[in-house]
Amino acid sequence: MDFSALQNILIDYDSFVVTSHIIPDGDSIGSVLAMTLALRRVGKNATAVVRDEVPRKYSFLPGAGDIKRYFKGKCDVIISLDCGDEERLGFDSKLKTYAGVVVNIDHHKSNSLFGDINIIESQASSVGEIIYHIIKNMTNIDLDIAQCLYTSIITDTGSIRYSNSTPSCLRILAELIEAGVKPDFMSRQIFEKRSIESVNLIKLSLGTLELFDNGKIATISITKEIMEKSGAREEDTDGIINYAREIEGVEVAVLFKEKGEQSVKVGFRSNEWVDVSKIAEEFGGGGHLRASGCTLEVPLDEARDRVLNSVKKYIAGERAWME
């Protein structure tokens, strides 16, 4: 990874905004906090901004309470992390309205390269892995920063269960543990605490589970009615798609989340041989080989029909090629 251009910016400029996408996850929150803390350690004026609610399970992380929802001023540099396109950051105006320099750091191969400086490492397990190398050249990684980086990596690799779990990220996790991170504590905070509302959401969502294409495809649909009945939050939908993905024989799992009468967020997961990023890109989305997403501005039933037809065609094509 070549960080020379970024290193000059980190030295030459004084005020920074560090941000990531709406509907934040562990990688986005962890990397934003780690980068913000590191900049402050070296005497920079750094503000963390995420234009959405921070999931409760990440509130224990150092600096989480200081994340701002809005930024209306000016700064020297905006650093965008873990975001494939500028619009998904949720800012009211273009980033250049707020800063002279835009730095875009990501690990999604579908990134639109919207920064003045773009550091895109699609082989990295997470943005936390990329940020680790940047921070290590800036300052010592103390326990606060280590906990944030650990969160980034451990969530995006599914606790080192996904195909993006590499020797590189394992070595980094080992160093973070040496810095004082307690894996059992982190696991309890991130993975092992559920509200009763989230359990109700799982119960209602699993009632929508359907199998298609001789069990190769599994879908779950979360309607607005289900969200209201369960009392769950958006963050509680995280991980529900895995109930579909983990069914024996399933290759592609699809989660449909109804956001409005004409808006559906779609998440894709695959197990072994389907590149779901190609399916997501067909609908204007993107992501990774085994985990991607998109949004369709149509009713739920239409979104389901269009996406399922695409997945079936893709699986048929891939299966024919493999044979």
Side-chain angles (χ1 to χ4, degrees), residues 124-143:
S125 66
S126 55
V127 168
E129 180 176 339
I130 304 172
I131 294 300
Y132 162 84
H133 294 287
I134 295 170
I135 292 175
K136 201 167 185 183
N137 288 326
M138 293 171 56
T139 185
N140 292 328
I141 295 180
D142 61 15
L143 178 57

Side-chain angles (χ1 to χ4, degrees), residues 35-302:
M35 193 71 205
T36 302
L37 290 170
L39 286 166
R40 291 174 179 172
R41 295 285 189 276
V42 296
K44 304 297 182 177
N45 179 3
T47 303
V49 177
V50 176
R51 295 297 306 275
D52 211 337
E53 187 175 354
V54 176
R56 288 171 293 182
K57 61 184 173 182
Y58 303 121
S59 62
F60 78 98
L61 288 173
D66 296 330
I67 296 177
K68 299 185 181 302
R69 288 285 296 272
Y70 301 97
F71 179 75
K72 296 183 178 180
K74 295 280 288 187
C75 63
D76 296 328
V77 182
I78 284 184
I79 301 177
S80 168
L81 303 175
D82 193 40
C83 192
D85 62 81
E86 185 172 349
E87 289 71 26
R88 196 168 177 236
L89 293 169
F91 281 67
D92 296 330
S93 304
K94 292 289 186 180
L95 295 183
K96 295 291 280 188
T97 305
Y98 307 97
V101 179
V102 175
V103 176
N104 169 28
I105 304 173
D106 193 17
H107 68 137
H108 297 94
K109 64 180 182 179
S110 55
N111 191 282
S112 63
L113 305 178
F114 56 87
D116 298 306
I117 293 176
N118 299 287
I119 300 173
I120 313 300
E121 298 288 345
S122 61
Q123 299 304 310
S125 66
S126 55
V127 168
E129 180 176 339
I130 304 172
I131 294 300
Y132 162 84
H133 294 287
I134 295 170
I135 292 175
K136 201 167 185 183
N137 288 326
M138 293 171 56
T139 185
N140 292 328
I141 295 180
D142 61 15
L143 178 57
D144 285 354
I145 294 174
Q147 285 185 322
C148 297
L149 292 173
Y150 188 94
T151 298
S152 296
I153 297 171
I154 208 71
T155 53
D156 249 29
T157 59
S159 295
I160 315 299
R161 293 182 294 117
Y162 299 159
S163 60
N164 60 339
S165 303
T166 63
S168 174
C169 77
L170 286 167
R171 282 190 285 268
I172 293 170
L173 289 174
E175 290 191 30
L176 299 178
I177 292 171
E178 289 174 346
V181 171
K182 303 297 184 186
D184 56 337
F185 169 78
M186 300 296 287
S187 180
R188 284 196 302 274
Q189 299 302 314
I190 298 169
F191 301 115
E192 299 171 11
K193 288 185 177 180
R194 286 192 178 276
S195 65
I196 186 61
E197 291 81 8
S198 72
V199 174
N200 287 333
L201 176 62
I202 293 170
K203 179 174 66 176
L204 294 172
S205 299
L206 290 182
T208 72
L209 177 70
E210 293 184 85
L211 295 175
F212 300 89
D213 199 16
N214 296 317
K216 293 288 190 299
I217 305 167
T219 69
I220 293 175
S221 300
I222 301 178
T223 63
K224 290 183 68 179
E225 181 182 1
I226 285 176
M227 290 297 293
E228 291 168 2
K229 189 173 181 179
S230 66
R233 299 187 181 192
E234 172 67 28
E235 66 191 74
D236 295 322
T237 65
D238 187 35
I240 288 180
I241 193 172
N242 290 322
Y243 288 97
R245 184 184 62 81
E246 292 167 2
I247 297 172
E248 185 176 3
V250 166
E251 173 56 24
V252 177
V254 188
L255 178 67
F256 298 94
K257 287 192 286 187
E258 186 180 39
K259 308 303 292 181
E261 292 183 4
Q262 297 283 330
S263 182
V264 180
K265 185 178 178 183
V266 185
F268 301 93
R269 298 291 186 274
S270 65
N271 278 316
E272 295 183 8
W273 48 273
V274 171
D275 182 352
V276 289
S277 70
K278 293 181 179 178
I279 302 173
E281 286 168 5
E282 183 180 331
F283 298 99
H288 303 293
L289 184 72
R290 299 283 176 253
S292 294
C294 62
T295 299
L296 279 70
E297 301 301 332
V298 297
L300 177 60
D301 288 343
E302 183 178 343

Side-chain angles (χ1 to χ4, degrees), residues 213 273 310-321 323:
D213 199 16
W273 48 273
S310 178
V311 176
K312 289 176 182 178
K313 288 178 182 177
Y314 189 91
I315 286 181
E318 287 293 291
R319 199 155 41 198
W321 179 84
E323 294 173 353

